[in-house]
Structures are given as C-alpha cells and as structure tokens.
Amino acid sequence: MKELDCIEVIVEKKKYTEDGVHKGMTGWICYNKCVDGYWLVNFPQYGDKPDIATISVHESDMVKIAALNVQINEQIRKQFETKS
C-alpha cells in the first residue's frame, strides 16, 4: 500500500463503526507512512457532502481497489443510519 491508493474495508469492526465506517466502504490512503500496521484512510462522500471519517485502518482489514465508489459509501451509511 502507499499514499493515494484506493482501498475497501473488508471487515466490520467496532473501532471503525464508531466513526461511521463499515465493511464495504471505500477510501483512499491519505498519509505516506504505515504506523504499526495502520494506514490513515479518508472515507469521502459525493460532491460537497462532508467526509464520513478519516481514521486509521489496519492493513489486514482492507484491500487495494482500482477506484473509489462514494455512492457505495453513501448507500452503506444510509443503511446504518436507518438501523439507529
């Protein structure tokens, strides 16, 4: 992994969901160093909407993907907002 790589979260973990990040969401690595196996990842939404979160994600909890899909992020976020 490296800065600006696009990733997808492949696990559902409480430490991520507390910040609104869920399995299947996509983001991009926004810092050029890995610290103790964690990368700083930004999870955007479409257009002018505020980002979902910028959090540290362990490299074993994500996979590199070709491109972001912010529409998926919004769909997943909406599913969890209705459950609350």
Side-chain angles (χ1 to χ4, degrees), residues 1 6-7 11-13 19 25-30 34 36 44-45 47 50 54 69-70 73 77-79:
M1 302 271 182
C6 296
I7 64 94
V11 296
E12 187 80 5
K13 285 190 174 177
D19 289 307
M25 286 188 166
T26 63
W28 61 280
I29 295 176
C30 56
C34 178
D36 295 329
Q45 293 190 94
T54 300
N69 186 337
V70 295
N73 289 355
R77 184 178 191 174
K78 193 173 199 172
Q79 288 174 359

Side-chain angles (χ1 to χ4, degrees), residues 37-82:
Y38 286 85
W39 292 92
L40 189 62
V41 180
N42 176 267
F43 294 89
Q45 293 190 94
Y46 189 75
D48 292 336
K49 294 178 184 173
D51 294 338
I52 294 168
T54 300
I55 63 170
S56 293
V57 178
H58 196 271
E59 56 193 354
S60 65
D61 295 340
M62 60 184 171
V63 293
K64 186 176 173 182
I65 58 174
L68 291 177
N69 186 337
V70 295
Q71 288 85 3
I72 290 291
N73 289 355
E74 292 181 11
Q75 290 171 1
I76 293 169
R77 184 178 191 174
K78 193 173 199 172
Q79 288 174 359
F80 283 91
E81 285 177 350
T82 16

Side-chain angles (χ1 to χ4, degrees), residues 17-36:
T17 61
E18 288 173 343
D19 289 307
V21 175
H22 299 274
K23 180 180 178 180
M25 286 188 166
T26 63
W28 61 280
I29 295 176
C30 56
Y31 186 66
N32 63 352
K33 292 184 182 175
C34 178
V35 178
D36 295 329

